[in-house]
Amino acid sequence: MTERAIYDLLVWAWLGVAVLTVLSLLWITAPYGRHARGGWGPQVSNRVGWVLMEAPASLAFLGFWLYGGAPLGATALAFLGLWQLHYVYRAFIYPFAVRGDPARGMPLSIALMGALFNVVNAYLNARWLFGLGPSLPASWLADPRFLAGAALFLGGLATNRWADRVLRELRQPGEHGYKVPRGGLYERISCPNYFGETVQWIGWAVLTWSPGGAVFALWTAANLVPRAVSHHRWYQSKFADYPPERRAVIPYVL
């Protein structure tokens, strides 16, 4: 069986796992962060867990770019740069910027499942872009699909970073509790960070116009929308005066 045939099977299998994931997350909230709880095996610190979970996305994507001949064309470098713009921050900067309880941990099993997802996801995206899919010329950077997708990607990225900063600045150094975030998109939804990241990877799917990007966008929504709903319900249960007009993740809708 050729690698392309294996790739196509993996895309469909990964799409099926995404469907199962969203169905399971409607009933079971992943046990980390504010939803942390016991019963999921050994734990590591949140910081270590985030690095273990997110670093493979950055490193594996780079590895598959090298495996694909390290193409230096403008389009290939744009894909590589946009991917790393997200994951270098998520793996190597964000975990050390978050303020929270240093004693709170993450189940090692969750971190390892996240790492496995990120390796498979990096393969599906990078191998298509740097080997199995069509080699896109520099003119692709002026294609409406790339321009629209890049606008969504960068807009979603900016929203995600802004929302993370708002949450981080709610706590003074040494504080460990939770507060209600205010301002901007937080006045409409509980989780602008998840909204931004979902928009971002929809943009990636459009700007790469690839099967791996499409499946990743679906995976992002399958993972983050149920978690945003769980966050929203948590806020409502913890804060009696939580703004009733807020939705979970899509303004005025959900």
Side-chain angles (χ1 to χ4, degrees):
M1 183 178 288
T2 65
E3 184 184 1
R4 176 57 192 272
I6 294 171
Y7 179 93
D8 290 342
L9 287 174
L10 185 56
V11 165
W12 286 108
W14 211 231
L15 182 59
V17 175
V19 173
L20 294 176
T21 297
V22 71
L23 292 175
S24 65
L25 290 178
L26 291 174
W27 301 98
I28 303 172
T29 303
Y32 64 91
R34 71 194 66 194
H35 305 290
R37 57 188 182 275
W40 287 74
Q43 298 215 346
V44 294
S45 73
N46 271 335
R47 184 168 293 163
V48 170
W50 272 107
V51 173
L52 284 175
M53 187 163 51
E54 302 291 351
S58 173
L59 299 177
F61 195 89
L62 180 62
F64 289 124
W65 173 74
L66 293 170
Y67 180 74
L72 297 177
T75 302
L77 291 178
F79 293 154
L80 178 65
L82 288 172
W83 184 277
Q84 298 296 354
L85 183 63
H86 174 84
Y87 276 112
V88 168
Y89 169 80
R90 185 60 65 188
F92 305 113
I93 299 173
Y94 172 80
F96 301 93
V98 172
R99 298 172 184 170
D101 185 352
R104 174 172 288 158
M106 176 188 297
L108 180 60
S109 59
I110 294 295
L112 293 178
M113 283 189 284
L116 174 62
F117 166 81
N118 280 321
V119 170
V120 174
N121 191 48
Y123 171 82
L124 290 177
N125 281 274
R127 282 301 289 144
W128 181 267
L129 298 175
F130 308 130
L132 298 177
S135 180
L136 297 174
S139 60
W140 178 255
L141 301 181
D143 188 281
R145 288 166 290 184
F146 180 86
L147 296 175
L152 289 172
F153 183 94
L154 294 173
L157 178 71
T159 300
N160 179 265
R161 298 275 179 89
W162 166 81
D164 280 349
R165 186 175 70 253
V166 169
L167 292 177
R168 184 167 61 248
E169 292 177 353
L170 284 175
R171 293 176 176 142
Q172 297 301 313
E175 286 188 330
H176 303 148
Y178 286 94
K179 302 176 183 178
V180 176
R182 303 280 184 178
L185 199 51
Y186 276 109
E187 298 303 322
R188 299 298 175 206
I189 53 177
S190 296
C191 300
N193 49 344
Y194 294 159
F195 172 79
E197 190 161 350
T198 302
V199 169
Q200 179 184 341
W201 294 115
I202 291 172
W204 173 264
V206 175
L207 73 90
T208 61
W209 210 249
S210 63
V215 173
F216 187 19
L218 291 170
W219 253 103
T220 302
N223 181 35
L224 295 186
V225 170
R227 190 161 183 84
V229 171
S230 295
H231 274 20
H232 184 65
R233 291 171 177 166
W234 181 91
Y235 276 123
Q236 290 175 320
S237 70
K238 295 295 182 181
F239 299 97
D241 59 345
Y242 194 69
E245 68 276 7
R246 288 191 195 180
R247 297 295 182 260
V249 67
I250 303 175
Y252 308 107
V253 178
L254 177 64

